[in-house]
Amino acid sequence: MTSQTAIDASGPGDKAPAAPSGPQPAPGLRGHPWLTLITVAVGVMMVALDGTIVAIANPAIGRDLHASWAQLQWITNAYFLALAVSLITAGKLGDRFGHRQTFLIGVTGFAAASGAIGLSDSIAAVVTFRVFQGLFGALLMPAALGLLRATFPAEKLNMAIGIWGMVIGASTAGGPILGGVLVEHVNWQSVFFINVPVGVLALVLGSLILLDHRAENAPRSFDLLGIALLSGAMFCLVWALIKAPAWGWGDGKTWLFIIASVAGFALFSFWETRVKEPLIPLTLFRSVALSAGVVLMVLMAIAFMGGLFFVTFYLQNVHGMSPIDAGLHLLPLTGMMIVGSPLAGAMITKLGPRIPLAGGMAVTAIAMYGMSTLKENTGSGLMSVWFALLGLGLAPVMVGATEVIVGNAPMELSGVAGGLQQAAMQIGGSLGTAVLGAVMASRVDHTLAGNWADAGLPKLPPQQLHLAAEAVQQGVAPVAKGTPAPVVEKITAVAHHTFISGMSLASLVAAGVAAVAVLVALLTKRGANAEAGAGVGHI
């Protein structure tokens, strides 16, 4: 059978295969599917949690280590860059050497790097070990998906990925809550130290339970030039997205990195058609369903991560909530993802991914539209409705898009497919934050001066207006020391009104992105679990 036949073997419909395909559960502990799921979930939880938990600790880190705002940004950027750039290469390592080995190395390294950060006494050391966290996290994430793909029979894979998605969603959304509790009642170091016992648990479970699966057609050599070209292109793209808010979208440096990224991806694509064992066989994307799954994951992350970015500022700076209170107000989102992900897995198993994915993105679009109507005085009840709807919409997309990507790839490329899934989510999150951040900044810049004048406040010089706009973009009132109380009240009202205006526009853009994703979802279909192909590179 050719690999293209294997990829498209599921046919045009979405009905489940008549007979189970893929591996059957192994007796005992070693290789048991559900115990494997628990084990990889423990490891994945660390990586997902660290994507959001650290933001709460940044102010305390800054005070303790005397770090500047730019240095604090690098605590997040260093982790994100290392993770995004390494994911696909790490997936290839798992395909070559076995996902069990790469998972255990990833868990060990991530826990060790976390402990090292907790012991660090300088911001340079924190940033350095955050890079190592990202690199080891990149080893861990695709390996987890590869292990699930190899362990679960096809008819139960959706349910497994549903629970896996639940862990990621709950960990991502729950990060600010746990971080707030730890920073407030222990110290900022505890945010990192908590990964050490979790990592030890994952290592022990992995050593006892995980079974090494290697496909017969697994790659035997490495495409070193392909790795270099892809890593360089990914770095330039992510770097441009990270720095664009500071540099400006019209700045030459921003476009220099974007052009370098495009050139890098073009060279990588050309090289992949020439090398014997490519890093990513481009024929993989002849599967329309897999390509749609990747695009869908990007669009979902743009709407979710970009929209949610402003909600934390809204809750803390406009409503004046503490980090813990803000996290608790996001519990409807977390709760619906926890409940919805396994249910979505069961629904996708029964109906196929197309209807649940399209419906999920439609609900996400409605939720983002609802969030565009939030005001300064919106009550907790109405906020909870929109947050719960967002979680309900995201759950089937997180599960279904992952299954579409991983399930439509041949077994020997399951690690690369897992890397693609995670890279798409990371790039989408970065795009969402950067693009919606630019929408917010543009709206604030356009309306702040007029709102300021309408409130009867004295006109600000251009430099002071620029500094005020930067504060307002985070929902902060730019009030100088010694300002009389009536004036403080006016400035606060203007700042919050202007911020709400920008957040509403950004949420509407996110709703539009989610609406486009509904159409993309209609191109998806159930994964073929094609394991018999001789290799996707030879069609």
Side-chain angles (χ1 to χ4, degrees):
M1 186 196 304
T2 66
S3 56
Q4 184 62 35
T5 303
I7 291 174
D8 290 333
S10 58
D14 280 325
K15 292 184 178 180
S21 61
Q24 299 303 310
L29 290 178
R30 181 76 70 180
H32 190 285
W34 295 107
L35 293 178
T36 296
L37 174 58
I38 292 171
T39 301
V40 301
V42 172
V44 163
M45 180 177 63
M46 291 194 303
V47 182
L49 202 61
D50 264 55
T52 54
I53 193 173
V54 176
I56 299 296
N58 276 342
I61 295 173
R63 289 191 300 270
D64 195 18
L65 301 182
H66 310 291
S68 66
W69 172 247
Q71 289 173 321
L72 288 176
Q73 285 182 308
W74 267 107
I75 294 175
T76 299
N77 292 344
Y79 176 76
F80 179 75
L81 268 174
L83 185 66
V85 169
S86 308
L87 277 164
I88 295 174
T89 302
K92 193 73 168 184
L93 287 171
D95 290 336
R96 171 65 179 85
F97 294 110
H99 298 299
R100 178 179 183 271
Q101 284 81 351
T102 51
F103 180 85
L104 294 178
I105 292 171
V107 163
T108 304
F110 195 93
S114 299
I117 293 173
L119 296 172
S120 298
D121 58 2
S122 71
I123 193 66
V126 171
V127 171
T128 299
F129 287 118
R130 282 288 278 172
V131 170
F132 283 106
Q133 269 194 322
L135 293 174
F136 284 111
L139 282 175
L140 191 159
M141 294 292 273
L145 274 175
L147 285 164
L148 294 182
R149 168 75 189 275
T151 304
F152 276 84
E155 70 275 9
K156 293 183 179 178
L157 182 60
N158 286 323
M159 181 62 72
I161 290 178
I163 297 172
W164 179 87
M166 173 193 75
V167 171
I168 290 183
S171 300
T172 301
I177 304 174
L178 180 59
V181 171
L182 290 174
V183 171
E184 194 168 313
H185 296 290
V186 189
N187 52 36
W188 68 261
Q189 289 90 342
S190 62
V191 167
F192 299 99
F193 282 142
I194 195 173
N195 287 330
V196 177
V198 176
V200 170
L201 176 62
L203 180 61
V204 172
L205 290 175
S207 300
L208 294 173
I209 292 167
L210 298 181
L211 181 65
D212 190 23
H213 295 276
R214 303 195 189 199
E216 292 180 5
N217 300 314
R220 297 299 173 191
S221 63
F222 281 101
D223 176 15
L224 295 179
L225 181 56
I227 290 173
L229 289 171
L230 180 63
S231 299
M234 289 282 286
F235 176 87
C236 289
L237 174 61
V238 176
W239 183 253
L241 295 175
I242 286 174
K243 300 299 289 185
W247 289 344
W249 282 98
D251 189 272
K253 294 191 292 294
T254 302
W255 282 100
L256 178 64
F257 277 96
I258 291 175
I259 292 169
S261 174
V262 172
F265 281 121
L267 288 172
F268 171 74
S269 300
F270 175 77
W271 173 250
E272 294 300 275
T273 63
R274 297 292 186 269
V275 67
K276 183 179 178 181
E277 288 198 8
L279 176 63
I280 305 177
L282 298 185
T283 46
L284 193 65
F285 295 101
R286 291 187 185 180
S287 167
V288 174
L290 184 145
S291 301
V294 173
V295 173
L296 186 62
M297 188 61 74
V298 172
L299 295 177
M300 181 277 292
I302 289 174
F304 174 37
M305 303 300 287
L308 201 61
F309 177 75
F310 298 109
V311 171
T312 55
F313 293 120
Y314 170 74
L315 294 175
Q316 292 187 49
N317 295 337
V318 175
H319 278 271
M321 297 180 189
S322 69
I324 296 177
D325 286 340
L328 290 174
H329 272 73
L330 290 173
L331 275 179
L333 167 64
T334 310
M336 289 308 296
M337 291 191 75
I338 291 173
V339 172
S341 293
L343 293 178
M347 188 187 305
I348 291 166
T349 299
K350 185 175 181 180
L351 302 176
R354 192 171 296 151
I355 294 173
L357 283 173
M361 287 313 307
V363 172
T364 299
I366 293 169
M368 294 309 303
Y369 173 79
M371 288 168 65
S372 75
T373 66
L374 296 177
K375 303 298 180 186
E376 296 94 317
N377 58 352
T378 300
S380 298
L382 185 55
M383 280 191 279
S384 296
V385 170
W386 298 124
F387 295 159
L389 267 183
L390 182 59
L392 183 65
L394 290 170
V397 182
M398 189 82 75
V399 176
T402 300
E403 192 279 332
V404 165
I405 296 169
V406 177
N408 278 287
M411 180 65 78
E412 65 268 19
L413 293 174
S414 59
V416 168
L420 267 175
Q421 183 267 352
Q422 285 295 310
M425 190 169 178
Q426 298 293 338
I427 289 173
S430 181
L431 269 170
T433 303
V435 172
L436 297 186
V439 170
M440 162 69 85
S442 175
R443 184 72 168 182
V444 169
D445 288 343
H446 182 70
T447 60
L448 180 59
N451 292 340
W452 194 275
D454 291 344
L457 294 166
K459 186 176 180 181
L460 294 173
Q463 181 61 27
Q464 287 188 23
L465 184 63
H466 174 72
L467 293 174
E470 287 187 341
V472 171
Q473 288 168 28
Q474 299 179 40
V476 175
V479 178
K481 277 187 178 181
T483 305
V487 179
V488 170
E489 212 172 293
K490 284 186 178 181
I491 293 175
T492 301
V494 167
H496 290 173
H497 176 72
T498 306
F499 171 84
I500 291 292
S501 175
M503 187 181 78
S504 296
L505 181 59
S507 297
L508 284 174
V509 172
V513 171
V516 171
V518 174
L519 302 178
V520 176
L522 297 176
L523 300 175
T524 62
K525 67 178 180 181
R526 189 187 304 280
N529 282 319
E531 300 164 26
V536 78
H538 305 283
I539 291 184

